[in-house]
Amino acid sequence: MQKITPCLWFDTQAEEAAEFYTSVFDNSKILEVARHGEAGPGPEGSAMVVRFALDGQEFVGLNGGPLFTFDEAVSFQIDCTDQAEVDYYWDRLSEGGEEGQCGWLKDRFGLSWQVIPARLIELLGDPDPAVAERATRAMFEMRKIDIAAVEKAALGAPA
């Protein structure tokens, strides 16, 4: 059992969100759904708390009502090995959501994700400050990260 589990506050969509997220990530499943009983406070039989795992990381989805919503102060970073993986997560998670800058997006539930290729992190941390600066400038021009374009810019190749 993991010691710390992120709890995501939804209005009423915790079960729908858990079903969506577990369809996106490999090695994922819904672990448990606690439903409202006769006493409420939600409609009897509706999901109150959903416990699920995404690629082995456990989460809790709580249907707490409209009082709180997600914002970019908390996001989940997806470390990607190649462009195909970036494209897959970007396309799936941004569908019905909103694309942001520099590899950030909000999914259709308003949760923020960073879809980040390992190569981008390497280039941003390059020991040559000129390489890192060019990579950073290229990243700032993008929504979804294009690894080849960042590499080209970082190496000083003409656009």
Side-chain angles (χ1 to χ4, degrees):
M1 180 175 201
Q2 71 190 35
K3 190 76 148 170
I4 298 171
T5 302
C7 179
L8 306 175
W9 181 295
F10 294 90
D11 182 1
T12 60
Q13 321 90 327
E15 190 168 24
E16 177 187 349
E19 288 169 356
F20 172 66
Y21 298 142
T22 57
S23 77
V24 171
F25 293 91
D26 290 337
N27 188 32
S28 300
K29 62 183 175 181
I30 294 176
L31 302 170
E32 180 180 15
V33 179
R35 300 194 178 278
H36 290 286
E38 216 174 275
E44 186 174 359
S46 67
M48 179 172 45
V49 176
V50 181
R51 195 168 62 88
F52 58 101
L54 302 180
D55 199 20
Q57 167 69 48
E58 287 192 24
F59 292 83
V60 169
L62 169 69
N63 281 331
L67 186 60
F68 299 112
T69 58
F70 299 121
D71 68 30
E72 292 83 355
V74 174
S75 64
F76 295 105
Q77 182 172 315
I78 305 168
D79 297 315
C80 299
T81 57
D82 57 28
Q83 191 66 50
E85 200 173 19
V86 169
D87 294 346
Y88 169 79
Y89 287 115
W90 187 268
D91 293 345
R92 291 292 309 272
L93 291 169
S94 66
E95 186 178 314
E98 178 183 330
E99 294 183 357
Q101 188 178 8
C102 305
W104 286 62
L105 63 86
K106 283 186 181 180
D107 66 27
R108 63 185 180 211
F109 302 102
L111 189 60
S112 291
W113 298 86
Q114 299 174 55
V115 183
I116 306 297
R119 183 65 177 136
L120 175 67
I121 302 303
E122 291 169 8
L123 291 168
L124 296 177
D126 195 279
D128 181 340
V131 169
E133 176 68 22
R134 290 189 297 265
T136 301
R137 288 183 188 281
M139 176 191 68
F140 282 145
E141 298 297 317
M142 297 177 181
R143 291 189 175 276
K144 177 175 71 174
I145 302 299
D146 179 333
I147 298 169
V150 174
E151 285 178 329
K152 185 176 178 180
L155 300 174

